[in-house]
mmCIF file of all heavy atoms in Angstrom:
data_model
loop_
_atom_site.group_PDB
_atom_site.id
_atom_site.type_symbol
_atom_site.label_atom_id
_atom_site.label_comp_id
_atom_site.label_asym_id
_atom_site.label_seq_id
_atom_site.Cartn_x
_atom_site.Cartn_y
_atom_site.Cartn_z
ATOM 1 N N GLU A 1 -0.062 -2.304 -73.317
ATOM 2 C CA GLU A 1 0.588 -2.006 -74.592
ATOM 3 C C GLU A 1 2.109 -2.109 -74.444
ATOM 4 O O GLU A 1 2.694 -1.544 -73.542
ATOM 5 C CB GLU A 1 0.211 -0.572 -75.027
ATOM 6 C CG GLU A 1 -1.261 -0.390 -75.425
ATOM 7 C CD GLU A 1 -1.686 -1.181 -76.627
ATOM 8 O OE1 GLU A 1 -0.826 -1.380 -77.490
ATOM 9 O OE2 GLU A 1 -2.870 -1.564 -76.685
ATOM 10 N N PRO A 2 2.775 -2.804 -75.425
ATOM 11 C CA PRO A 2 4.228 -3.000 -75.294
ATOM 12 C C PRO A 2 4.995 -1.688 -75.263
ATOM 13 O O PRO A 2 6.077 -1.587 -74.638
ATOM 14 C CB PRO A 2 4.593 -3.807 -76.566
ATOM 15 C CG PRO A 2 3.287 -4.466 -76.933
ATOM 16 C CD PRO A 2 2.185 -3.536 -76.557
ATOM 17 N N ASN A 3 4.509 -0.627 -75.954
ATOM 18 C CA ASN A 3 5.242 0.636 -76.049
ATOM 19 C C ASN A 3 5.200 1.366 -74.705
ATOM 20 O O ASN A 3 5.919 2.374 -74.516
ATOM 21 C CB ASN A 3 4.771 1.493 -77.163
ATOM 22 C CG ASN A 3 3.291 1.895 -77.007
ATOM 23 O OD1 ASN A 3 2.536 1.170 -76.378
ATOM 24 N ND2 ASN A 3 2.913 3.068 -77.564
ATOM 25 N N VAL A 4 4.359 0.963 -73.761
ATOM 26 C CA VAL A 4 4.262 1.588 -72.456
ATOM 27 C C VAL A 4 5.341 1.088 -71.539
ATOM 28 O O VAL A 4 5.852 1.803 -70.608
ATOM 29 C CB VAL A 4 2.874 1.401 -71.803
ATOM 30 C CG1 VAL A 4 2.778 1.929 -70.400
ATOM 31 C CG2 VAL A 4 1.798 1.989 -72.694
ATOM 32 N N LEU A 5 5.789 -0.111 -71.762
ATOM 33 C CA LEU A 5 6.834 -0.791 -70.849
ATOM 34 C C LEU A 5 8.164 -0.065 -70.992
ATOM 35 O O LEU A 5 8.778 -0.085 -72.114
ATOM 36 C CB LEU A 5 6.943 -2.247 -71.181
ATOM 37 C CG LEU A 5 7.895 -3.064 -70.334
ATOM 38 C CD1 LEU A 5 7.425 -3.099 -68.868
ATOM 39 C CD2 LEU A 5 8.009 -4.447 -70.921
ATOM 40 N N ALA A 6 8.654 0.525 -69.889
ATOM 41 C CA ALA A 6 9.921 1.217 -69.958
ATOM 42 C C ALA A 6 11.105 0.317 -69.613
ATOM 43 O O ALA A 6 12.248 0.600 -70.005
ATOM 44 C CB ALA A 6 9.876 2.403 -68.937
ATOM 45 N N GLY A 7 10.857 -0.741 -68.938
ATOM 46 C CA GLY A 7 11.947 -1.683 -68.581
ATOM 47 C C GLY A 7 11.444 -2.763 -67.657
ATOM 48 O O GLY A 7 10.362 -2.658 -67.079
ATOM 49 N N THR A 8 12.231 -3.841 -67.484
ATOM 50 C CA THR A 8 11.915 -4.918 -66.616
ATOM 51 C C THR A 8 13.077 -5.154 -65.637
ATOM 52 O O THR A 8 14.223 -5.220 -66.120
ATOM 53 C CB THR A 8 11.677 -6.195 -67.419
ATOM 54 O OG1 THR A 8 10.597 -5.929 -68.383
ATOM 55 C CG2 THR A 8 11.229 -7.364 -66.519
ATOM 56 N N LEU A 9 12.772 -5.253 -64.319
ATOM 57 C CA LEU A 9 13.767 -5.483 -63.398
ATOM 58 C C LEU A 9 13.742 -6.972 -63.002
ATOM 59 O O LEU A 9 12.754 -7.430 -62.500
ATOM 60 C CB LEU A 9 13.551 -4.606 -62.111
ATOM 61 C CG LEU A 9 13.397 -3.080 -62.390
ATOM 62 C CD1 LEU A 9 13.035 -2.385 -61.116
ATOM 63 C CD2 LEU A 9 14.757 -2.578 -62.925
ATOM 64 N N ILE A 10 14.838 -7.676 -63.238
ATOM 65 C CA ILE A 10 14.896 -9.105 -63.052
ATOM 66 C C ILE A 10 15.949 -9.437 -61.997
ATOM 67 O O ILE A 10 17.103 -9.092 -62.201
ATOM 68 C CB ILE A 10 15.146 -9.841 -64.341
ATOM 69 C CG1 ILE A 10 14.091 -9.570 -65.367
ATOM 70 C CG2 ILE A 10 15.234 -11.375 -64.088
ATOM 71 C CD1 ILE A 10 14.423 -10.134 -66.778
ATOM 72 N N ALA A 11 15.526 -10.116 -60.898
ATOM 73 C CA ALA A 11 16.459 -10.524 -59.897
ATOM 74 C C ALA A 11 15.801 -11.469 -58.915
ATOM 75 O O ALA A 11 16.443 -12.475 -58.467
ATOM 76 C CB ALA A 11 17.111 -9.374 -59.086
ATOM 77 N N HIS A 12 14.499 -11.212 -58.571
ATOM 78 C CA HIS A 12 13.863 -12.107 -57.606
ATOM 79 C C HIS A 12 13.640 -13.435 -58.206
ATOM 80 O O HIS A 12 13.403 -13.603 -59.452
ATOM 81 C CB HIS A 12 12.531 -11.490 -57.167
ATOM 82 C CG HIS A 12 12.644 -10.331 -56.278
ATOM 83 N ND1 HIS A 12 13.184 -10.411 -55.045
ATOM 84 C CD2 HIS A 12 12.321 -9.006 -56.423
ATOM 85 C CE1 HIS A 12 13.201 -9.235 -54.409
ATOM 86 N NE2 HIS A 12 12.639 -8.351 -55.276
ATOM 87 N N THR A 13 13.674 -14.503 -57.377
ATOM 88 C CA THR A 13 13.491 -15.851 -57.858
ATOM 89 C C THR A 13 12.109 -16.421 -57.516
ATOM 90 O O THR A 13 11.834 -17.605 -57.777
ATOM 91 C CB THR A 13 14.585 -16.783 -57.246
ATOM 92 O OG1 THR A 13 14.507 -16.734 -55.817
ATOM 93 C CG2 THR A 13 15.985 -16.335 -57.703
ATOM 94 N N ASP A 14 11.230 -15.575 -56.937
ATOM 95 C CA ASP A 14 9.873 -16.049 -56.606
ATOM 96 C C ASP A 14 8.974 -14.849 -56.703
ATOM 97 O O ASP A 14 9.423 -13.781 -57.032
ATOM 98 C CB ASP A 14 9.856 -16.687 -55.204
ATOM 99 C CG ASP A 14 8.741 -17.710 -55.038
ATOM 100 O OD1 ASP A 14 7.721 -17.619 -55.749
ATOM 101 O OD2 ASP A 14 8.936 -18.588 -54.194
ATOM 102 N N ALA A 15 7.708 -14.996 -56.341
ATOM 103 C CA ALA A 15 6.688 -13.976 -56.498
ATOM 104 C C ALA A 15 7.079 -12.691 -55.812
ATOM 105 O O ALA A 15 7.627 -12.710 -54.725
ATOM 106 C CB ALA A 15 5.371 -14.469 -55.936
ATOM 107 N N VAL A 16 6.811 -11.537 -56.423
ATOM 108 C CA VAL A 16 7.041 -10.204 -55.807
ATOM 109 C C VAL A 16 5.777 -9.819 -55.104
ATOM 110 O O VAL A 16 4.708 -9.732 -55.764
ATOM 111 C CB VAL A 16 7.421 -9.181 -56.898
ATOM 112 C CG1 VAL A 16 7.613 -7.788 -56.243
ATOM 113 C CG2 VAL A 16 8.677 -9.609 -57.601
ATOM 114 N N TRP A 17 5.837 -9.569 -53.785
ATOM 115 C CA TRP A 17 4.640 -9.327 -52.989
ATOM 116 C C TRP A 17 4.363 -7.885 -52.771
ATOM 117 O O TRP A 17 3.252 -7.500 -52.536
ATOM 118 C CB TRP A 17 4.846 -10.006 -51.640
ATOM 119 C CG TRP A 17 4.624 -11.485 -51.637
ATOM 120 C CD1 TRP A 17 4.033 -12.207 -52.586
ATOM 121 C CD2 TRP A 17 5.051 -12.446 -50.686
ATOM 122 N NE1 TRP A 17 4.006 -13.549 -52.318
ATOM 123 C CE2 TRP A 17 4.665 -13.713 -51.126
ATOM 124 C CE3 TRP A 17 5.782 -12.317 -49.444
ATOM 125 C CZ2 TRP A 17 4.893 -14.835 -50.365
ATOM 126 C CZ3 TRP A 17 5.974 -13.440 -48.699
ATOM 127 C CH2 TRP A 17 5.579 -14.730 -49.191
ATOM 128 N N GLY A 18 5.351 -6.952 -52.822
ATOM 129 C CA GLY A 18 5.125 -5.577 -52.517
ATOM 130 C C GLY A 18 6.171 -4.636 -53.134
ATOM 131 O O GLY A 18 7.354 -5.077 -53.311
ATOM 132 N N LEU A 19 5.773 -3.414 -53.404
ATOM 133 C CA LEU A 19 6.661 -2.396 -53.922
ATOM 134 C C LEU A 19 6.505 -1.130 -53.126
ATOM 135 O O LEU A 19 5.388 -0.808 -52.683
ATOM 136 C CB LEU A 19 6.361 -2.114 -55.421
ATOM 137 C CG LEU A 19 6.576 -3.211 -56.403
ATOM 138 C CD1 LEU A 19 6.016 -2.793 -57.756
ATOM 139 C CD2 LEU A 19 8.032 -3.610 -56.558
ATOM 140 N N ALA A 20 7.572 -0.355 -52.957
ATOM 141 C CA ALA A 20 7.548 0.959 -52.329
ATOM 142 C C ALA A 20 8.536 1.834 -53.061
ATOM 143 O O ALA A 20 9.661 1.522 -53.334
ATOM 144 C CB ALA A 20 7.898 0.873 -50.827
ATOM 145 N N TYR A 21 8.016 3.031 -53.417
ATOM 146 C CA TYR A 21 8.801 3.964 -54.221
ATOM 147 C C TYR A 21 9.151 5.191 -53.371
ATOM 148 O O TYR A 21 8.305 5.764 -52.662
ATOM 149 C CB TYR A 21 8.043 4.438 -55.470
ATOM 150 C CG TYR A 21 8.749 5.423 -56.316
ATOM 151 C CD1 TYR A 21 9.821 5.051 -57.123
ATOM 152 C CD2 TYR A 21 8.368 6.748 -56.316
ATOM 153 C CE1 TYR A 21 10.483 5.967 -57.932
ATOM 154 C CE2 TYR A 21 9.038 7.693 -57.137
ATOM 155 C CZ TYR A 21 10.070 7.294 -57.902
ATOM 156 O OH TYR A 21 10.745 8.180 -58.666
ATOM 157 N N SER A 22 10.409 5.616 -53.435
ATOM 158 C CA SER A 22 10.850 6.848 -52.739
ATOM 159 C C SER A 22 11.237 7.909 -53.789
ATOM 160 O O SER A 22 12.104 7.726 -54.599
ATOM 161 C CB SER A 22 12.090 6.520 -51.893
ATOM 162 O OG SER A 22 12.639 7.729 -51.392
ATOM 163 N N GLY A 23 10.513 9.021 -53.675
ATOM 164 C CA GLY A 23 10.830 10.131 -54.617
ATOM 165 C C GLY A 23 12.067 10.891 -54.246
ATOM 166 O O GLY A 23 12.515 11.757 -55.044
ATOM 167 N N VAL A 24 12.643 10.635 -53.048
ATOM 168 C CA VAL A 24 13.832 11.402 -52.662
ATOM 169 C C VAL A 24 15.013 11.115 -53.569
ATOM 170 O O VAL A 24 15.687 12.044 -54.060
ATOM 171 C CB VAL A 24 14.187 11.047 -51.204
ATOM 172 C CG1 VAL A 24 15.447 11.743 -50.756
ATOM 173 C CG2 VAL A 24 13.068 11.350 -50.246
ATOM 174 N N LYS A 25 15.256 9.840 -53.844
ATOM 175 C CA LYS A 25 16.348 9.491 -54.757
ATOM 176 C C LYS A 25 15.852 8.708 -55.989
ATOM 177 O O LYS A 25 16.650 8.129 -56.682
ATOM 178 C CB LYS A 25 17.440 8.665 -53.994
ATOM 179 C CG LYS A 25 18.185 9.451 -52.963
ATOM 180 C CD LYS A 25 19.311 8.577 -52.341
ATOM 181 C CE LYS A 25 20.125 9.375 -51.387
ATOM 182 N NZ LYS A 25 21.188 8.542 -50.777
ATOM 183 N N ASN A 26 14.525 8.656 -56.106
ATOM 184 C CA ASN A 26 13.887 7.871 -57.194
ATOM 185 C C ASN A 26 14.283 6.409 -57.141
ATOM 186 O O ASN A 26 14.621 5.760 -58.138
ATOM 187 C CB ASN A 26 14.241 8.463 -58.587
ATOM 188 C CG ASN A 26 13.701 9.873 -58.762
ATOM 189 O OD1 ASN A 26 12.567 10.141 -58.213
ATOM 190 N ND2 ASN A 26 14.384 10.722 -59.409
ATOM 191 N N HIS A 27 14.325 5.891 -55.951
ATOM 192 C CA HIS A 27 14.667 4.501 -55.711
ATOM 193 C C HIS A 27 13.379 3.663 -55.505
ATOM 194 O O HIS A 27 12.337 4.183 -55.067
ATOM 195 C CB HIS A 27 15.567 4.293 -54.545
ATOM 196 C CG HIS A 27 17.010 4.735 -54.769
ATOM 197 N ND1 HIS A 27 17.982 4.813 -53.787
ATOM 198 C CD2 HIS A 27 17.619 5.131 -55.956
ATOM 199 C CE1 HIS A 27 19.053 5.238 -54.320
ATOM 200 N NE2 HIS A 27 18.870 5.416 -55.658
ATOM 201 N N LEU A 28 13.471 2.376 -55.796
ATOM 202 C CA LEU A 28 12.353 1.455 -55.652
ATOM 203 C C LEU A 28 12.749 0.340 -54.744
ATOM 204 O O LEU A 28 13.851 -0.210 -54.835
ATOM 205 C CB LEU A 28 11.967 0.906 -57.031
ATOM 206 C CG LEU A 28 10.778 -0.042 -57.097
ATOM 207 C CD1 LEU A 28 9.465 0.714 -56.870
ATOM 208 C CD2 LEU A 28 10.760 -0.745 -58.462
ATOM 209 N N LEU A 29 11.858 -0.089 -53.835
ATOM 210 C CA LEU A 29 12.019 -1.276 -53.029
ATOM 211 C C LEU A 29 11.026 -2.343 -53.386
ATOM 212 O O LEU A 29 9.903 -2.014 -53.704
ATOM 213 C CB LEU A 29 11.787 -0.879 -51.509
ATOM 214 C CG LEU A 29 12.936 -0.159 -50.790
ATOM 215 C CD1 LEU A 29 12.408 0.442 -49.516
ATOM 216 C CD2 LEU A 29 14.054 -1.085 -50.520
ATOM 217 N N SER A 30 11.496 -3.611 -53.389
ATOM 218 C CA SER A 30 10.638 -4.688 -53.716
ATOM 219 C C SER A 30 10.823 -5.775 -52.696
ATOM 220 O O SER A 30 11.998 -5.973 -52.199
ATOM 221 C CB SER A 30 10.918 -5.263 -55.112
ATOM 222 O OG SER A 30 12.281 -5.693 -55.265
ATOM 223 N N CYS A 31 9.786 -6.479 -52.325
ATOM 224 C CA CYS A 31 9.928 -7.614 -51.396
ATOM 225 C C CYS A 31 9.281 -8.827 -52.066
ATOM 226 O O CYS A 31 8.340 -8.696 -52.837
ATOM 227 C CB CYS A 31 9.233 -7.308 -50.078
ATOM 228 S SG CYS A 31 7.449 -7.051 -50.099
ATOM 229 N N SER A 32 9.894 -9.981 -51.785
ATOM 230 C CA SER A 32 9.540 -11.158 -52.537
ATOM 231 C C SER A 32 9.384 -12.443 -51.713
ATOM 232 O O SER A 32 9.911 -12.469 -50.574
ATOM 233 C CB SER A 32 10.612 -11.410 -53.586
ATOM 234 O OG SER A 32 10.535 -12.661 -54.207
ATOM 235 N N ALA A 33 8.664 -13.369 -52.276
ATOM 236 C CA ALA A 33 8.509 -14.708 -51.587
ATOM 237 C C ALA A 33 9.850 -15.431 -51.513
ATOM 238 O O ALA A 33 9.969 -16.470 -50.844
ATOM 239 C CB ALA A 33 7.502 -15.523 -52.344
#
């Protein structure tokens, strides 16, 4: 549902393979092809 989407993070130029979330600082890590 479109109203569920809070935002989109755009920067990678190829497929995103994995995500890791840290609750310490509410930061997100992404790794990409």
Side-chain angles (χ1 to χ4, degrees):
E1 294 294 332
N3 61 333
V4 175
L5 182 64
T8 304
L9 305 175
I10 301 172
H12 287 297
T13 58
D14 208 334
V16 178
W17 283 342
L19 297 172
Y21 178 74
S22 170
V24 179
K25 292 185 177 180
N26 296 325
H27 286 172
L28 182 72
L29 281 164
S30 60
C31 64
S32 167

